[in-house]
Amino acid sequence: LAAGAGASGALTGAQAVDEAWRKAVLANDLDAVVACYARDAVLWLPGAPEAKGHEAIRAAYAALLDANKVTAASFANAHYETTGEISVGWGEFSLTLTPKSAGATATVLSGRFTVIARPDRGKWVYVVDHASSPPSAPTQH
């Protein structure tokens, strides 16, 4: 199994999971988002405690999707490598969230990501999903 496009042109490895996650979060489909993760996966979101396993990952995303509608999701400077049944990806992400509360303005969350994926029941899933906030600008002296 190789990362990138397979012989059929379909995405594989961590890149396939990233694309499935992007489509699921844009559809604001909590079940589809959680389905991108292995049952024993760990999720680290910026400023949030570790979410380990489907129940905790569901709770983490439910809080985000209950309060917001995701109106844009993208990856930039993404890189993927696969060896056997382990695939890794890293790069930058951006999510545009429109609060469901009246009068609130959209916000853009952006940062860096690192993922590890493996095949599980015929599809690739995240084992580790680690997102972090972008670094602060260097201080001028």
Side-chain angles (χ1 to χ4, degrees):
L1 299 169
S8 67
L11 298 179
T12 62
Q15 188 174 15
V17 188
D18 277 354
E19 183 57 17
W21 178 90
R22 190 185 71 74
K23 286 179 180 177
V25 80
L26 276 171
N28 293 272
D29 184 339
L30 181 59
D31 290 335
V33 170
V34 175
C36 292
Y37 292 84
R39 292 216 162 276
D40 60 347
V42 63
L43 168 67
W44 286 294
L45 295 175
E50 173 186 274
K52 185 167 174 82
H54 272 186
E55 189 175 311
I57 291 169
R58 176 177 295 281
Y61 280 112
L64 179 77
L65 296 176
D66 285 349
N68 302 282
K69 176 176 175 48
V70 178
T71 55
S74 62
F75 296 106
N77 301 315
H79 305 275
Y80 299 97
E81 292 190 20
T82 299
T83 301
E85 294 194 348
I86 296 293
S87 183
V88 298
W90 64 95
E92 299 164 1
F93 71 89
S94 178
L95 280 178
T96 302
L97 305 174
T98 302
K100 292 181 179 175
S101 55
T105 58
T107 60
V108 176
L109 297 179
S110 60
R112 303 169 289 186
F113 74 92
T114 305
V115 295
I116 302 171
R118 71 172 183 237
D120 182 25
R121 291 174 254 195
K123 69 173 191 165
W124 287 89
V125 293
Y126 293 130
V127 178
V128 174
D129 181 0
H130 184 196
S132 62
S133 300
S136 302
T139 335
Q140 298 295 326
H141 294 278

